[in-house]
């Protein structure tokens, strides 16, 4: 009979505790923020480089 609770046969994972879940979500959020900032920095740097190249070719 299936009562909706997690068991070892359903995925092999134990339910995580409240603090463990909080730490995991905070870590994932930090990683996402780091990636987003890196992406924004890369795009901005590329845009500045293209702008400088465009200015140099015009003058």
């Amino acid at each position: 009979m299936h009562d909706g609770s997690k068991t070892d046969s359903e995925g092999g994972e134990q339910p995580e505790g409240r603090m463990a879940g909080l730490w995991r979500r905070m870590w994932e959020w930090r990683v996402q923020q780091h990636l987003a900032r890196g992406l924004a920095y890369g795009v901005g740097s590329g845009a500045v480089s293209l702008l400088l190249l465009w200015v140099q070719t015009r003058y």
Side-chain angles (χ1 to χ4, degrees):
M1 183 171 173
H2 184 51
D3 62 352
S5 62
K6 274 191 168 181
T7 61
D8 287 338
S9 63
E10 290 182 13
E13 296 180 12
Q14 296 292 327
E16 60 187 352
R18 178 175 251 162
M19 288 302 292
L22 178 64
W23 282 112
R24 182 183 51 80
R25 286 189 301 273
M26 286 179 64
W27 178 254
E28 289 173 355
W29 181 79
R30 286 188 59 174
V31 169
Q32 289 172 353
Q33 291 296 312
H34 183 71
L35 291 173
R37 286 182 184 144
L39 180 62
Y41 178 80
V43 168
S45 176
V48 169
S49 297
L50 287 175
L51 183 62
L52 288 174
L53 183 62
W54 179 75
V55 168
Q56 287 177 348
T57 58
R58 291 204 41 145
Y59 300 104

